[in-house]
Coordinates of all heavy atoms in Angstrom, one line a residue:
E1 N -9.6 0.6 -22.0 CA -9.1 2.0 -22.0 C -7.9 2.1 -20.9 O -6.9 2.7 -21.2 CB -10.1 3.0 -21.7 CG -11.2 3.1 -22.8 CD -12.3 4.1 -22.4 OE1 -12.2 4.7 -21.3 OE2 -13.2 4.4 -23.2
T2 N -8.2 1.4 -19.8 CA -7.2 1.5 -18.7 C -5.9 0.8 -19.0 O -4.8 1.2 -18.7 CB -7.8 1.0 -17.4 OG1 -9.0 1.7 -17.1 CG2 -6.8 1.2 -16.2
L3 N -6.0 -0.4 -19.7 CA -4.9 -1.1 -20.1 C -3.9 -0.3 -21.0 O -2.7 -0.4 -20.8 CB -5.3 -2.4 -20.9 CG -5.6 -3.6 -20.2 CD1 -6.2 -4.7 -21.1 CD2 -4.4 -4.2 -19.4
I4 N -4.5 0.6 -21.8 CA -3.7 1.4 -22.7 C -3.1 2.6 -21.9 O -1.9 3.0 -22.1 CB -4.5 1.9 -23.9 CG1 -5.0 0.7 -24.7 CG2 -3.8 2.9 -24.7 CD1 -6.0 1.0 -25.7
A5 N -3.9 3.3 -21.1 CA -3.6 4.6 -20.5 C -2.9 4.5 -19.2 O -2.2 5.4 -18.8 CB -4.8 5.5 -20.4
Y6 N -3.1 3.4 -18.4 CA -2.6 3.3 -17.0 C -1.1 3.2 -17.0 O -0.5 2.6 -17.8 CB -3.2 2.1 -16.4 CG -3.0 2.0 -14.9 CD1 -3.4 3.0 -14.0 CD2 -2.5 0.8 -14.3 CE1 -3.2 2.8 -12.6 CE2 -2.3 0.6 -13.0 CZ -2.7 1.7 -12.1 OH -2.5 1.5 -10.8
R7 N -0.5 3.8 -15.9 CA 1.0 3.9 -15.8 C 1.6 2.8 -14.9 O 2.8 2.7 -14.8 CB 1.4 5.3 -15.3 CG 1.0 6.4 -16.3 CD 1.6 7.7 -15.9 NE 1.3 8.8 -16.8 CZ 1.7 10.0 -16.7 NH1 2.4 10.4 -15.6 NH2 1.4 10.9 -17.6
Y8 N 0.8 2.0 -14.3 CA 1.2 0.9 -13.5 C 2.2 1.2 -12.4 O 3.4 0.7 -12.4 CB 1.7 -0.2 -14.4 CG 0.7 -0.7 -15.4 CD1 0.7 -0.1 -16.7 CD2 -0.3 -1.6 -15.1 CE1 -0.2 -0.5 -17.6 CE2 -1.3 -2.0 -16.0 CZ -1.2 -1.4 -17.3 OH -2.2 -1.8 -18.2
P9 N 1.9 2.1 -11.5 CA 2.8 2.5 -10.4 C 2.9 1.4 -9.4 O 2.1 0.4 -9.4 CB 2.2 3.7 -9.8 CG 0.7 3.5 -10.1 CD 0.6 2.9 -11.4
V10 N 3.8 1.5 -8.4 CA 3.9 0.6 -7.3 C 3.6 1.3 -6.0 O 3.9 2.5 -5.9 CB 5.4 0.0 -7.2 CG1 5.6 -0.8 -5.9 CG2 5.7 -0.8 -8.4
Y11 N 2.9 0.7 -5.1 CA 2.3 1.3 -3.9 C 3.0 0.7 -2.7 O 3.3 -0.5 -2.6 CB 0.8 1.1 -3.8 CG 0.1 1.6 -5.0 CD1 -0.3 0.8 -6.1 CD2 -0.2 3.0 -5.1 CE1 -0.9 1.3 -7.2 CE2 -0.9 3.5 -6.2 CZ -1.3 2.7 -7.2 OH -1.9 3.2 -8.3
R12 N 3.1 1.5 -1.7 CA 3.7 1.1 -0.4 C 2.5 0.8 0.6 O 1.6 1.6 0.7 CB 4.6 2.1 0.3 CG 5.8 2.4 -0.6 CD 6.7 3.5 0.1 NE 6.0 4.8 0.3 CZ 5.9 5.7 -0.7 NH1 6.4 5.5 -1.9 NH2 5.2 6.8 -0.4
M13 N 2.5 -0.4 1.2 CA 1.4 -0.8 2.0 C 1.9 -1.4 3.3 O 2.9 -2.0 3.4 CB 0.6 -1.9 1.3 CG 0.2 -1.7 -0.1 SD -0.5 -3.1 -0.9 CE -0.6 -2.5 -2.6
T14 N 1.1 -1.1 4.4 CA 1.3 -1.7 5.7 C 0.1 -2.4 6.1 O -1.0 -1.8 6.2 CB 1.7 -0.6 6.7 OG1 2.8 0.1 6.3 CG2 2.0 -1.3 8.1
M15 N 0.2 -3.7 6.3 CA -0.9 -4.6 6.7 C -0.6 -5.2 8.1 O 0.3 -6.1 8.2 CB -1.2 -5.6 5.7 CG -1.5 -5.0 4.3 SD -2.4 -6.0 3.2 CE -2.4 -5.0 1.7
D16 N -1.4 -4.8 9.1 CA -1.2 -5.4 10.4 C 0.3 -5.3 10.8 O 0.9 -6.2 11.2 CB -1.7 -6.8 10.5 CG -3.2 -6.9 10.5 OD1 -3.9 -5.8 10.7 OD2 -3.7 -8.0 10.3
N17 N 0.9 -4.1 10.6 CA 2.2 -3.7 10.9 C 3.3 -4.4 10.1 O 4.5 -4.3 10.4 CB 2.5 -4.0 12.4 CG 1.6 -3.2 13.3 OD1 1.4 -2.0 13.1 ND2 1.0 -3.9 14.3
K18 N 3.0 -5.1 9.0 CA 4.0 -5.7 8.1 C 3.9 -4.9 6.8 O 2.9 -4.7 6.2 CB 3.7 -7.2 7.9 CG 4.8 -7.8 7.1 CD 4.6 -9.3 7.0 CE 5.7 -10.0 6.2 NZ 5.5 -11.5 6.2
E19 N 5.1 -4.6 6.2 CA 5.2 -3.7 5.0 C 5.3 -4.5 3.8 O 5.9 -5.6 3.7 CB 6.4 -2.8 5.2 CG 6.3 -1.8 6.3 CD 7.4 -0.8 6.3 OE1 8.3 -0.9 5.5 OE2 7.3 0.2 7.1
Y20 N 4.6 -4.0 2.7 CA 4.6 -4.6 1.4 C 4.8 -3.6 0.3 O 4.5 -2.4 0.6 CB 3.3 -5.4 1.1 CG 3.1 -6.5 2.1 CD1 2.4 -6.3 3.3 CD2 3.5 -7.8 1.8 CE1 2.1 -7.3 4.1 CE2 3.2 -8.9 2.7 CZ 2.5 -8.6 3.8 OH 2.3 -9.6 4.7
S21 N 5.3 -4.0 -0.8 CA 5.4 -3.1 -2.0 C 4.8 -3.9 -3.1 O 5.2 -5.0 -3.4 CB 6.9 -2.7 -2.3 OG 6.9 -1.9 -3.5
A22 N 3.8 -3.3 -3.8 CA 3.0 -4.0 -4.8 C 2.3 -3.1 -5.8 O 2.2 -1.9 -5.6 CB 1.9 -4.9 -4.1
A23 N 1.9 -3.8 -6.9 CA 1.2 -3.0 -8.0 C -0.2 -2.7 -7.6 O -0.8 -1.8 -8.2 CB 1.3 -3.9 -9.3
G24 N -0.8 -3.4 -6.7 CA -2.1 -3.2 -6.3 C -2.6 -4.2 -5.2 O -1.9 -5.1 -4.9
V25 N -3.8 -3.9 -4.7 CA -4.3 -4.8 -3.7 C -5.9 -4.8 -3.8 O -6.5 -3.7 -4.1 CB -3.9 -4.4 -2.3 CG1 -4.4 -3.0 -1.9 CG2 -4.4 -5.4 -1.2
I26 N -6.5 -5.9 -3.6 CA -7.9 -6.1 -3.6 C -8.2 -6.5 -2.1 O -7.7 -7.6 -1.7 CB -8.4 -7.1 -4.6 CG1 -8.1 -6.6 -6.0 CG2 -9.9 -7.3 -4.4 CD1 -8.4 -7.7 -7.1
I27 N -9.1 -5.8 -1.5 CA -9.5 -6.1 -0.1 C -10.9 -6.6 -0.2 O -11.8 -6.0 -0.8 CB -9.5 -4.9 0.8 CG1 -8.1 -4.2 0.8 CG2 -9.9 -5.2 2.2 CD1 -7.0 -5.0 1.2
V28 N -11.2 -7.8 0.3 CA -12.5 -8.4 0.2 C -13.0 -8.7 1.7 O -12.3 -9.2 2.5 CB -12.6 -9.7 -0.6 CG1 -12.5 -9.3 -2.1 CG2 -11.5 -10.6 -0.2
N29 N -14.3 -8.4 1.9 CA -15.0 -8.6 3.1 C -15.6 -10.0 3.2 O -15.9 -10.5 4.2 CB -16.0 -7.5 3.4 CG -16.5 -7.5 4.8 OD1 -15.8 -7.9 5.7 ND2 -17.8 -7.0 5.0
G30 N -16.0 -10.5 2.0 CA -16.6 -11.8 1.9 C -15.8 -12.7 1.0 O -14.6 -12.8 1.2
R31 N -16.5 -13.4 0.1 CA -15.8 -14.4 -0.8 C -15.7 -13.8 -2.2 O -14.7 -14.2 -2.9 CB -16.6 -15.7 -0.8 CG -16.8 -16.4 0.5 CD -17.6 -17.7 0.4 NE -18.9 -17.4 -0.3 CZ -19.4 -18.0 -1.4 NH1 -18.6 -18.9 -2.0 NH2 -20.5 -17.7 -1.9
C32 N -16.7 -13.0 -2.6 CA -16.8 -12.7 -4.0 C -16.2 -11.3 -4.4 O -16.1 -10.4 -3.5 CB -18.2 -12.7 -4.4 SG -19.1 -14.3 -4.3
Y33 N -15.9 -11.2 -5.7 CA -15.3 -9.9 -6.2 C -15.7 -9.8 -7.7 O -15.7 -10.8 -8.4 CB -13.8 -9.9 -6.0 CG -13.2 -8.7 -6.7 CD1 -13.2 -7.4 -6.2 CD2 -12.6 -8.8 -8.0 CE1 -12.7 -6.3 -6.8 CE2 -12.0 -7.7 -8.6 CZ -12.1 -6.5 -8.0 OH -11.5 -5.4 -8.7
A34 N -16.1 -8.6 -8.1 CA -16.5 -8.4 -9.5 C -17.5 -9.3 -10.0 O -17.4 -9.9 -11.1 CB -15.2 -8.5 -10.4
G35 N -18.6 -9.5 -9.2 CA -19.6 -10.4 -9.6 C -19.5 -11.7 -8.8 O -19.3 -11.7 -7.6
K36 N -19.6 -12.8 -9.4 CA -19.6 -14.1 -8.7 C -18.3 -14.7 -8.6 O -18.1 -15.9 -8.1 CB -20.6 -15.1 -9.5 CG -20.1 -15.4 -10.9 CD -21.1 -16.4 -11.6 CE -20.6 -16.7 -13.0 NZ -21.5 -17.6 -13.7
H37 N -17.2 -14.0 -8.9 CA -15.9 -14.6 -8.9 C -15.3 -14.7 -7.5 O -15.4 -13.7 -6.7 CB -14.9 -13.8 -9.8 CG -15.4 -13.6 -11.2 ND1 -15.5 -14.6 -12.1 CD2 -15.9 -12.5 -11.8 CE1 -16.0 -14.2 -13.2 NE2 -16.2 -12.9 -13.1
I38 N -14.8 -15.9 -7.1 CA -14.4 -16.2 -5.8 C -12.9 -15.9 -5.6 O -12.1 -16.5 -6.3 CB -14.7 -17.6 -5.4 CG1 -16.1 -18.0 -5.7 CG2 -14.3 -17.9 -4.0 CD1 -17.1 -17.3 -4.8
V39 N -12.6 -14.9 -4.8 CA -11.2 -14.6 -4.5 C -10.8 -14.9 -3.1 O -9.6 -14.9 -2.8 CB -10.9 -13.1 -4.8 CG1 -11.1 -12.8 -6.3 CG2 -11.7 -12.2 -4.0
S40 N -11.7 -15.2 -2.2 CA -11.4 -15.5 -0.8 C -12.4 -16.6 -0.4 O -13.4 -16.3 0.3 CB -11.5 -14.3 0.0 OG -11.2 -14.6 1.4
P41 N -12.2 -17.9 -0.8 CA -13.2 -18.9 -0.7 C -13.6 -19.2 0.8 O -14.7 -19.7 1.0 CB -12.6 -20.1 -1.3 CG -11.1 -19.8 -1.4 CD -11.0 -18.4 -1.5
D42 N -12.7 -19.0 1.7 CA -13.0 -19.4 3.1 C -13.5 -18.2 4.0 O -13.7 -18.4 5.2 CB -11.7 -20.0 3.8 CG -11.3 -21.2 3.1 OD1 -12.2 -22.0 2.7 OD2 -10.1 -21.5 3.0
N43 N -13.6 -17.0 3.4 CA -14.1 -15.9 4.1 C -15.6 -15.8 4.2 O -16.3 -16.5 3.5 CB -13.5 -14.6 3.5 CG -13.4 -13.5 4.5 OD1 -13.3 -13.7 5.7 ND2 -13.5 -12.2 4.0
D44 N -16.1 -14.9 5.0 CA -17.6 -14.8 5.2 C -17.9 -13.4 5.6 O -17.2 -12.7 6.3 CB -18.0 -15.7 6.4 CG -19.5 -15.8 6.6 OD1 -20.0 -14.8 7.2 OD2 -20.1 -16.7 6.1

């Protein structure tokens, strides 16, 4: 449903005082996201 209806805006982000412009961001505290999928293998 989201693929069809979403408008895909761009967001302004500041991370540790450095600026970025992007379609989105995923923040992870450990290694996994959305189940068992590894997006940050060296994190804990």
Side-chain angles (χ1 to χ4, degrees):
E1 293 179 0
T2 305
L3 275 171
I4 298 170
Y6 190 54
R7 295 186 177 182
Y8 302 96
V10 173
Y11 302 96
R12 299 182 298 277
M13 310 174 189
T14 302
M15 302 197 184
D16 290 345
N17 299 317
K18 187 172 182 180
E19 295 185 355
Y20 299 87
S21 179
V25 61
I26 298 169
I27 308 298
V28 286
N29 190 29
R31 300 178 305 125
C32 297
Y33 172 79
K36 63 181 179 180
H37 304 295
I38 307 297
V39 297
S40 182
D42 298 324
N43 203 27
D44 185 279

